[in-house]
Amino acid sequence: MLGATAAACGGSAPAATGRTEGTTSVTIGALSNGAAKETALQVPVVESIRNEVPRSVLDSGTLVIGSGSLPTGSPPLGFVGTDQKTLTGSEPDLGRLVAAVLGLEPRIDNATWANLFVGIDSGRTDVGFSNITDTEQRKEKYDFACYRQDNLGFETLASSPWNFDGTAASLAGRTVSVGKGTNQEKILLQWQSELQAQGKTLDVKYFPDINSTYLALSSGKIDAYFLPNPSVAYHVTQTAGTPTPTRSAGKYSGAGASLQGLICATTKKGNGLAKPVADAINHLIQNGQYAAWLDTWNLANEAVPTAQINPPGLPLSNS
């Protein structure tokens, strides 16, 4: 597909500017049109982790990183940069950092969401970095190295004193917008029912598109907007410096109250890449480069203390 080829050819351009004495200069947040703070990180190759990589991948010299960002992208996770060809975003950037630890050249394969998994299944793609949630159903076919919390978030005006405390009680008397048919709508309506049973109110509002939702927020017609946390992070960067800046007012696990959802690097089950990828991420955590990556994309509130391999995911009943 032409779009995938263009993104793949340009995918490594801002990331690897040369390897000297086992170190790669990786530029993250490049070409982001203000969505990130461009930062250059010096990432040494870690031979002990590199030696864990399957021989077929080492011999290729390349880590093929899958992204499901076609057709339009999803800032800040994965989207075409200001050069109109390179895939930028938090997800491909972490893939580039992992490739640097492994001493491999990153190649981004941008596809539709469905074709991302086709690429992993066929072996054409080594590992997916594309906001993929850990679920028990997916673990029947894939191995996971989890690197970020899977959160929903509340966005409110920066001038608002309101914050979500993790419980329905903090929503009593509030007016909140949410997208129809979404996971966050399901959770919000559960909270609404809980409050109604206590004789309290939660007014849930729907708008035809995101622009009208944000117009309602800026005009004070709603108190908050409940949506995926990365989307909150992105919009906060876009409103900074405007007359109506916004901020994050709290987060909630996309898996619900009983389980912290996780976003994971995804490999074909049993292909031997999950452990070196997890070890590479843990190396980045221990050396502060993981925190720098999250800060660059305004996603610090989704940090995990360690990258786990195949931790408990969304159960089959909720996958």
Side-chain angles (χ1 to χ4, degrees):
M1 65 186 70
L2 181 61
T5 302
C9 291
S12 301
T17 58
R19 185 173 297 152
T20 58
E21 298 182 356
T23 297
T24 303
S25 179
V26 181
T27 299
I28 57 176
L31 307 169
S32 74
N33 196 28
K37 300 172 291 186
E38 185 172 319
T39 306
L41 300 177
Q42 304 304 312
V43 184
V45 177
V46 181
E47 289 297 334
S48 60
I49 302 176
R50 176 179 165 84
N51 289 337
E52 299 171 358
V53 176
R55 174 53 56 186
S56 59
V57 178
L58 285 180
D59 288 346
S60 75
T62 301
L63 186 69
V64 182
I65 299 162
S67 177
S69 299
L70 289 177
T72 59
S74 179
L77 300 171
F79 58 105
V80 175
T82 52
D83 66 353
Q84 302 303 309
K85 64 178 183 179
T86 303
L87 192 74
T88 188
S90 61
E91 304 296 87
D93 271 358
L94 183 59
R96 291 166 177 134
L97 289 169
V98 166
V101 174
L102 301 178
L104 297 169
E105 184 71 19
R107 180 167 69 81
I108 309 298
D109 182 12
N110 192 19
T112 63
W113 179 255
N115 283 335
L116 162 65
F117 292 96
V118 171
I120 297 172
D121 293 344
S122 68
R124 184 181 72 246
T125 298
D126 295 318
V127 56
F129 280 89
S130 195
N131 202 48
I132 302 170
T133 299
D134 173 14
T135 75
E136 293 305 310
Q137 184 179 57
R138 286 176 179 156
K139 277 195 287 198
E140 294 174 359
K141 292 180 65 176
Y142 307 106
D143 287 323
F144 290 129
C146 300
Y147 56 83
R148 185 166 56 77
Q149 292 182 354
D150 180 10
N151 288 328
L152 304 170
F154 287 91
E155 185 174 0
T156 191
L157 291 177
S159 58
S160 170
W162 178 78
N163 285 293
F164 176 68
D165 69 0
T167 70
S170 62
L171 292 163
R174 299 292 171 179
T175 301
V176 179
S177 180
V178 71
K180 272 192 175 294
T182 60
N183 180 40
Q184 54 267 27
E185 181 197 29
K186 177 183 174 182
I187 293 170
L188 194 64
L189 293 179
Q190 289 172 343
W191 284 328
Q192 185 186 52
S193 297
E194 181 181 330
L195 289 169
Q196 286 173 342
Q198 301 169 15
K200 300 174 183 178
T201 63
L202 167 57
D203 191 7
V204 177
K205 293 286 190 183
Y206 300 95
F207 296 92
D209 54 52
I210 194 168
N211 290 333
S212 56
T213 304
Y214 280 126
L215 181 60
L217 181 63
S218 63
S219 64
K221 291 181 180 178
I222 58 175
D223 295 305
Y225 183 20
F226 190 37
L227 67 164
N229 186 69
S231 298
V232 176
Y234 172 70
H235 192 250
V236 166
T237 66
Q238 301 306 291
T239 63
T242 70
T244 53
T246 62
R247 64 174 179 85
S248 170
K251 62 180 183 177
Y252 190 76
S253 170
S258 62
L259 180 69
Q260 174 59 62
L262 293 169
I263 299 297
C264 310
T266 303
T267 69
K268 188 174 182 178
K269 195 169 188 67
N271 77 351
L273 267 174
K275 186 177 188 302
V277 168
D279 288 347
I281 294 168
N282 282 323
H283 175 79
L284 294 167
I285 290 172
Q286 293 160 10
N287 287 274
Q289 291 156 330
Y290 169 84
W293 163 69
L294 287 174
D295 285 342
T296 290
W297 290 102
N298 197 29
L299 291 170
N301 65 352
E302 294 196 335
V304 295
T306 187
Q308 302 178 67
I309 298 173
N310 293 330
L314 285 176
L316 290 173
S317 60
N318 192 32
S319 295

